[in-house]
Structure formats: C-alpha cells, structure tokens
Amino acid sequence: MRAAWADSLIGRASVSLGVDAYAARLADAGLRLLGSARDGGGNDHHEATRVA
C-alpha cells in the first residue's frame, strides 16, 4: 500500500511506494523479493536476494 506521512524524527515528509513498487524496483536491480514483515512499531521490512 502506498502511503505518505510527516516523519516526526526528521521533520520532513516520508513516502512509502508500497510492496509492489519495491518488488518491481528490486527486480530491475537483479533482485527478488523473498518476503515482507511488519514490526511492532508498524514499520515494514522487506527481504530480497540476488537472482543468479
């Protein structure tokens, strides 16, 4: 899901492209998305590997 918010730590706008956009950009770089997880603070983390 694409989202935007005011980041309270840096005082600037932050944008998330969403998992589909990240997967596409990873693929463009020769990487494949292995999975995603959300931590207790609501932060999304994505794991990728290089495509052989």
Side-chain angles (χ1 to χ4, degrees):
M1 177 174 79
R2 186 179 168 103
W5 63 96
D7 190 310
S8 62
L9 294 176
I10 62 172
R12 297 176 65 180
S14 292
V15 176
S16 171
L17 302 176
V19 69
D20 293 335
Y22 287 129
R25 282 164 178 77
L26 288 166
D28 290 344
L31 302 168
R32 180 173 47 94
L33 182 65
L34 294 176
S36 300
R38 181 167 289 166
D39 66 21
N43 301 295
D44 292 319
H45 301 271
H46 308 291
E47 183 178 3
T49 188
R50 183 172 306 277
V51 177

